[in-house]
Amino acid sequence: MNAMSSHGNDYSGQGKAATPQGGFLGMLGLSHTVPKLRKATQAPPRQQTKKQDAEKAEQMFEEGNDYAKEGKWEEALAFYNATLVLQRRTIGKDHPHSGRTLNAIGVALTKKGDYYSGLTALEEALFVRQKSLGEGHPDVIETVNNMNGLLDKVHNKDEDPQQTNKSTKPA
């Protein structure tokens, strides 16, 4: 199972799904996270409950947050993607925690400069959060604000500072 969205979107920022199989993590020199992620996302033994998997997903999300606080966006994305895999298997794709994880993925991708993938993740986060929490919920507002911040970055990036400083004198 990979961390692609329910619509087939890839949130790894690497052009293929971010799976804990090694793949892009090894290419990025992040192979040290592969064993932990591989073990965490394997199909659970029969005696392991969905509650235990949900708890494991929560721990992985917090590890992703720790990396994000340090500005280590690749590592954060790896943990967020693995978290999303577990969440979709245990609590479902429309659960508020899945929306929270998609929001975190969108923010991390934005911080990396992958605006298109970030916007796609944030759009899905907004859909999940609106569906599960309602329009006026603070988490919905958070995602909308993150989308606005991303769009502002894209707009400012596209502006040519040389053009805005030139005067329009007739020749």
Side-chain angles (χ1 to χ4, degrees):
M1 184 177 279
N2 60 38
M4 293 181 76
S5 77
S6 59
H7 306 292
N9 298 318
D10 169 15
Y11 299 124
S12 68
Q14 300 296 318
K16 61 182 176 179
T19 63
Q21 308 298 321
F24 83 91
L25 291 174
M27 292 185 324
L28 296 171
L30 302 174
S31 56
H32 62 282
T33 61
V34 172
K36 185 187 286 188
L37 293 173
R38 183 178 295 132
K39 182 179 179 188
T41 58
Q42 289 174 344
R46 288 182 183 237
Q47 71 270 17
Q48 192 163 359
T49 65
K50 285 189 175 192
K51 181 181 178 188
Q52 289 170 320
D53 271 353
E55 289 170 358
K56 185 185 301 182
E58 193 62 28
Q59 290 170 347
M60 291 175 64
F61 182 81
E62 290 304 321
E63 286 187 59
N65 281 344
D66 291 342
Y67 281 116
K69 288 174 188 172
E70 296 173 16
K72 296 179 179 177
W73 301 112
E74 292 293 342
E75 291 91 343
L77 276 171
F79 277 95
Y80 292 151
N81 278 308
T83 299
L84 190 60
V85 169
L86 282 175
Q87 287 173 331
R88 288 185 170 167
R89 185 171 61 214
T90 58
I91 58 176
K93 66 180 182 177
D94 293 331
H95 191 278
H97 286 183
S98 297
R100 178 192 64 183
T101 301
L102 284 162
N103 185 72
I105 290 170
V107 169
L109 288 166
T110 300
K111 294 289 188 176
K112 283 183 52 191
D114 187 351
Y115 300 131
Y116 180 78
S117 295
L119 183 60
T120 303
L122 289 170
E123 286 173 340
E124 190 166 351
L126 181 61
F127 175 79
V128 170
R129 284 179 154 185
Q130 284 176 328
K131 183 176 180 181
S132 61
L133 301 171
E135 291 289 326
H137 193 277
D139 291 350
V140 172
I141 294 167
E142 174 191 29
T143 300
V144 169
N145 288 337
N146 289 336
M147 291 174 78
N148 286 335
L150 183 153
L151 293 171
D152 283 344
K153 284 182 182 185
V154 170
H155 175 73
N156 292 334
K157 180 182 173 194
D158 288 342
E159 280 185 3
D160 181 4
Q162 298 296 332
Q163 287 287 39
T164 58
N165 292 334
K166 290 183 181 178
S167 64
T168 54
K169 295 180 186 174

